[in-house]
Amino acid sequence: MKLTKALNRSLWAFHFNSGSCNGCDIEIVATLTPRYDLERFGVKLVGSPRHADVLLVTGPVTSQMADRLRRVYAQMPGPKVAMVIGTCGLSGGIFSTSYNLAGPVDQIIPVDVYVPGCAPRPEAIIQGVVTVIAKLERLEVGERND
Amino acid sequence: MTAKKVPYIVPVGPIHPALKEPVHIELTVSGEEVISADFTPGQTHRGIEWMGLSRNPVQIVHLTDRICGICGVTHSLAFARAVEQIADITVPERADYVRTIIAEFERIQSHLLWAGVAAHELGFDTLFYLAWRVREGAMDAIELISGNRVNYDIIQIGGVRRDITEDQFEPIRRCLANYKDLFGKLKMLFLEDAVINSRCKGAGRLSFEKAMAYSTVGPTARASGCTADLRADYPYAAYGDLNVKPVLPTVYSNDINGDTYDRIVVRIFEIAQSIEIIEECLANMPVGRILWEEKVAGILAACKKAKGEAVGLHEAPRGECLHYVAMDLAEIPIAWKVKASSYSNLHVWPLILKGAQLADIPIIVASIDPCLSCTDRVVVTDAAAGRTKIFTKEELTRLSYEKTRRLMQ
Ligand code: SF4
């Protein structure tokens, strides 16, 4: 992984809450604010999926949100990467027995990077982002996203 | 120019790029002014209560932590208190103090989080970053005590799962001292700033009568002059030993307006109050056990013998949180009902948004500190002409920023 080269380009992320408890969402924002400051690498949250390289998904995907998740993912331009943050998006976690789940996330859209934890620490999220950068680099030289 | 009379319907949500939960808001606007507002929550429904009815109370406590990631201790504490009443469990005094300390740290963290978001909605991002940096102090203290930053899982039926040890007192005190030094600065930045004053004073007014009629709770109610605060009204945990007085906007100014500004005043001063409460708890911490019964089997045995119903209450950062539990001689409760504090407060949105300007929507919506909210994309529909214009959350925020800029000129 050539981190310096990758960091020539800023990574823009769109955050999608598919029914999380807010814990992971708060940690994403904590990752971007001064203590952990992911923004110094140009990583920032954008307001539209059409501008994003990475989709950050939190939550176990409730049935109301499944279709919206599909649509948001489809709106993103390639090469794109989807990253699940938090155990409940990985497997349903503590909510796995609920009647209202369409998820976990990888049942709905293809997922590239998983960050486990409930909630994952900001350091873990940063590690996930580094993995995403490596993956995006590979996608750019032609690896297919499937 | 007849078009300006036509009301537009503005659906907002349910996806937000920043941090809050999905909710759908629908506004009818005429030009810049909101005529009426309505909202539909429910996009994050996970069926938690239903899942709870196939688990035992010790397992449910972990589920309650994950109702909301910001109020990590609120729901578990309210739920545990309900079960403890039914099963006749007395919580050791030391555990009560640990519960109080963590609950107050949660309040500090939650109010700072909110203050940051509010500043962000006004386009004051420097203050947003400052508030979130300052908030990390409370997160460190929470992590020190519970071992996790979010979803602390510290409450157990009949006590707490982790004690605060002697060597932890020092870093906690240091954290509090830090906040004390910072408080003057926070107060100045949030309450004396010209932009915040001009944007928040008079915005989203909620009168005392309406606040009472809509049963609002927490800082939203107190900003309108209601003295409701469970910590003072029905003391629980260690609050009985402390002298907690509800914080009203009168701590800072002479009159109560019930506007967004007053809500900031209440929350900022509640941070100071929480610091004092934690200090007092640390100074008077009783010695002894932290659990009524160490073994989970013992707790469950008590639950099996329990019959009856009870309500557990806790004053969360956003106001009263209520859990109703009924048990009938079985490990698994037969009924469990949660009323979170935001539920009481959301209903005033239609009221306080009425007559507001489009650019003021983000801050008014945020001012009650909703635990779900979003302004991701907005569709303005001109019903008469059949035209549709799509606003994104960014555009709406931009309107808000532009208004701030105009005021500064
Ligand atoms: S993984 Fe845990 S903290 Fe994250 S959203 Fe799910 S329940 Fe909340």
Side-chain angles (χ1 to χ4, degrees), chain B residues 249-261:
Chain B
T250 40
V251 290
Y252 188 67
S253 60
N254 289 328
D255 32 64
I256 297 174
N257 296 313
D259 53 7
T260 303
Y261 184 80

Side-chain angles (χ1 to χ4, degrees), chain B residues 3-10 26-37 350-361 364 380 391 396 399 403:
Chain B
K4 70 177 179 202
K5 291 270 182 282
V6 177
Y8 296 151
I9 311 281
V10 187
E26 205 163 280
L27 307 161
T28 309
V29 300
S30 166
E32 277 280 299
E33 197 188 323
V34 178
I35 302 172
S36 69
L351 201 70
I352 59 177
L353 283 172
K354 201 170 164 184
Q357 293 210 323
L358 219 43
D360 286 334
I361 294 172
I364 296 179
V380 178
F391 275 174
L396 205 61
L399 279 176
K403 183 163 180 191

Side-chain angles (χ1 to χ4, degrees), chain B residues 102 141-149 151-154 162:
Chain B
I102 196 106
I142 289 171
E143 188 180 355
L144 183 76
I145 299 170
S146 75
N148 208 0
R149 286 165 53 90
N151 293 339
Y152 334 124
D153 282 327
I154 197 170
R162 275 192 182 214

Side-chain angles (χ1 to χ4, degrees), chain B residues 28-99:
Chain B
T28 309
V29 300
S30 166
E32 277 280 299
E33 197 188 323
V34 178
I35 302 172
S36 69
D38 198 4
F39 69 99
T40 330
Q43 275 85 1
T44 60
H45 176 77
R46 283 154 284 161
I48 290 180
E49 288 167 354
W50 179 84
M51 278 185 275
L53 297 186
S54 54
R55 300 183 192 189
N56 67 44
V58 176
Q59 293 168 321
I60 295 179
V61 167
H62 298 285
L63 206 50
T64 54
D65 265 345
R66 284 155 185 84
I67 292 176
C68 173
I70 310 175
C71 309
V73 78
T74 296
H75 292 281
S76 10
L77 182 49
F79 175 77
R81 289 192 61 227
V83 174
E84 283 152 10
Q85 286 171 50
I86 305 172
D88 219 357
I89 293 173
T90 5
V91 179
E93 257 186 68
R94 190 176 176 89
D96 269 343
Y97 272 73
V98 176
R99 285 176 172 192

Side-chain angles (χ1 to χ4, degrees), chain B residues 136-343:
Chain B
E136 288 291 332
M139 298 304 278
D140 286 346
I142 289 171
E143 188 180 355
L144 183 76
I145 299 170
S146 75
N148 208 0
R149 286 165 53 90
V150 179
N151 293 339
Y152 334 124
D153 282 327
I154 197 170
I155 305 282
Q156 173 67 292
I157 307 288
V160 288
R161 287 144 53 92
R162 275 192 182 214
D163 200 359
I164 301 181
T165 53
E166 270 317 307
D167 54 325
Q168 288 175 337
F169 277 49
E170 195 36 48
I172 295 176
R173 288 216 175 90
R174 232 181 299 134
C175 162
L176 294 175
N178 226 337
Y179 275 124
K180 276 194 167 160
D181 292 345
L182 271 169
F183 185 71
K185 192 172 168 190
L186 282 177
K187 202 167 76 178
M188 187 188 77
L189 286 171
F190 277 101
L191 303 180
E192 284 162 32
D193 184 84
V195 174
I196 292 191
N197 265 285
S198 51
R199 285 298 304 274
C200 297
K201 280 206 169 141
R205 274 205 60 176
L206 181 68
S207 67
F208 173 77
E209 292 75 26
K210 288 286 187 224
M212 293 297 271
Y214 278 67
S215 304
T216 52
V217 293
T220 311
R222 292 195 279 277
S224 294
C226 315
T227 50
D229 187 331
L230 288 174
R231 296 173 295 170
D233 301 342
Y234 304 97
Y236 55 94
Y239 293 116
D241 305 344
L242 309 162
N243 186 14
V244 184
K245 292 219 174 62
V247 176
L248 296 182
T250 40
V251 290
Y252 188 67
S253 60
N254 289 328
D255 32 64
I256 297 174
N257 296 313
D259 53 7
T260 303
Y261 184 80
D262 278 356
R263 287 174 211 137
I264 301 180
V265 171
V266 168
R267 293 202 178 92
I268 294 289
F269 278 88
E270 280 189 8
I271 295 175
Q273 185 189 37
S274 293
I275 296 170
E276 271 170 31
I277 293 177
I278 300 171
E279 274 186 336
E280 214 178 316
C281 285
L282 286 178
N284 304 323
M285 192 98 156
V287 285
R289 287 143 50 87
I290 53 161
L291 272 172
W292 172 77
E293 164 67 60
E294 304 251 325
K295 295 204 176 63
V296 172
I299 301 172
L300 292 180
C303 293
K304 258 184 217 154
K305 281 189 237 120
K307 186 175 163 64
E309 51 182 6
V311 164
L313 294 167
H314 171 56
E315 181 75 20
R318 289 163 184 75
E320 173 196 290
C321 167
L322 179 150
H323 280 235
Y324 166 83
V325 181
M327 305 190 56
D328 190 16
L329 303 175
E331 253 177 43
I332 293 165
I334 53 168
W336 175 30
K337 180 80 203 136
V338 182
K339 196 226 43 124
S341 27
S342 288
Y343 180 79

Side-chain angles (χ1 to χ4, degrees), chain A residues 20-25 59 86-88 94-95 117-120, chain B residues 66 150-151:
Chain A
S20 81
C21 80
N22 253 348
C24 288
D25 314 67
T87 303
C88 70
I94 195 156
F95 308 123
C118 184
Chain B
R66 284 155 185 84
V150 179
N151 293 339

Side-chain angles (χ1 to χ4, degrees), chain A residues 9 50 52-53 73-81 136 139-140 145:
Chain A
R9 181 166 141 245
R50 290 175 210 278
D53 307 297
Y73 186 73
Q75 282 173 20
M76 289 170 63
K80 58 186 167 188
V81 170
L136 266 179
L139 286 179
E140 266 159 20
N145 196 8

